[in-house]
Amino acid sequence: MQHKSMVNFIENVILPQVKDTRDEGQKEYASCNGGDNVFANFERIANLLQVSKEKVLVTYLLKHIEGIVADINGHNSQREPVEGRIKDSIVYLMLLWAMKQRKGEV
């Protein structure tokens, strides 16, 4: 793929789909926790397990990474296309970045 095509793919395919995935996930999280805390689900699980919210997030991320690796290794019986796992992974990494940024602000 040439550079110009890659830039176009990122800007017009990847980023809009990742934003949609993040927005849909946030709607779901907001309806579950009744608030505006984007980290609420990670914090609830972290409290239950006595670990950090970052460890919870990375656990979820690794589930998707494992599925991506399985796809790369030729496993075809996944419940969702690999692109969905890639989008979810990008969203999880953005959330992790935000968690780390938020820590720096506190």
Side-chain angles (χ1 to χ4, degrees), residues 40-68:
N41 61 321
F42 301 109
E43 290 169 354
R44 281 192 311 273
I45 300 299
N47 287 332
L48 287 170
L49 298 175
Q50 299 293 301
V51 298
S52 71
K53 65 182 176 285
E54 293 88 352
K55 284 185 180 180
V56 173
L57 183 147
V58 169
T59 300
Y60 291 169
L61 171 62
L62 289 172
K63 172 184 165 270
H64 291 294
I65 297 296
E66 186 176 39
I68 293 166

Side-chain angles (χ1 to χ4, degrees), residues 5 7 17 19 22 26 30 37 46 72 78 81 94 100:
S5 296
V7 169
Q17 287 188 36
K19 183 182 180 312
R22 198 221 62 89
Q26 185 53 44
N37 180 357
I72 290 168
Q78 296 181 358
M94 291 189 316
K100 300 314 256 178

